[in-house]
Amino acid sequence: MKHKQLHSIAHNFADSLASGLGFVVGMFGTDVFADAASNDDGVVSVDFLNGTIKGRTVDDRLPRAISLYQKAFPQFCAKHGATESNFRQFEVRFTHLAPTTGFAVTIEDDKGRVSTEDYVGTPGKRIVKLDALGRRR
C-alpha cells in the first residue's frame, strides 16, 4: 500500500480520538486536549500500535480509550484495505497550546519510510504552507 494512503488511514484514526467522540471504538468520549493541557509542555503522545501514552492524563478515561483503540486498529485498517503490519510505527502527538489545539501524526511503513504531518483544530486539518512562489502546499 502507498505511504500516503497509510498516512490517511492514520490521520482518520487519530482524528477520531481528537474529536472526543470515539466513533471508531463505539462512542467512547475523551478529551485528549485537556489531558495535553494538564502537562507542563502541553503535550500527550499516543503510540497506537503499543497502546501506550506519554504524558500525564487527567483521569482514567484516556488510558481505557487507548486500549480500545489499539484493539480496533486492525479492523480499521482492514476496512480501508490495509493491514496493521503495514505500519512499523504509528504515534500521534496531541498538543494544547491555548488557544490552539492540534496533533502530529508520525508513521513508519513496512518499507521503512517515515513521515510526520501536522494538523490543527478539530477535525484535524493540514497546516497550509506557502512555497517560495506563494503557492499553497
Side-chain angles (χ1 to χ4, degrees):
M1 178 164 270
K2 292 185 178 184
H3 188 81
K4 285 205 174 273
Q5 290 172 305
L6 294 176
H7 221 294
S8 177
I9 291 168
H11 164 266
N12 292 342
F13 197 74
D15 204 31
S16 176
L17 181 61
S19 75
L21 300 175
F23 291 127
V24 169
V25 294
M27 289 289 292
F28 192 97
T30 58
D31 190 349
V32 69
F33 296 113
D35 291 311
S38 72
N39 290 287
D40 293 336
D41 60 356
V43 174
V44 166
S45 295
V46 175
D47 181 336
F48 283 105
L49 296 181
N50 297 315
T52 59
I53 302 169
K54 294 177 191 161
R56 183 174 56 241
T57 59
V58 175
D59 58 30
D60 68 338
R61 291 186 63 75
L62 185 61
R64 288 189 343 217
I66 296 307
S67 175
L68 295 173
Y69 273 86
Q70 181 189 19
K71 291 174 187 166
F73 189 59
Q75 183 180 4
F76 189 82
C77 288
K79 181 179 174 183
H80 295 285
T83 64
E84 184 180 18
S85 64
N86 289 131
F87 294 86
R88 286 188 191 164
Q89 176 187 14
F90 175 20
E91 294 182 16
V92 182
R93 181 182 165 143
F94 295 94
T95 58
H96 182 275
L97 303 171
T100 305
T101 60
F103 55 97
V105 177
T106 301
I107 67 164
E108 180 180 359
D109 64 20
D110 53 357
K111 296 175 183 84
R113 183 173 174 201
V114 179
S115 65
T116 300
E117 291 286 341
D118 295 314
Y119 302 92
V120 293
T122 304
K125 297 187 183 212
R126 284 176 141 202
I127 297 172
V128 176
K129 300 174 186 170
L130 298 180
D131 65 11
L133 299 175
R135 297 175 294 196
R136 294 172 58 139
R137 300 288 177 206

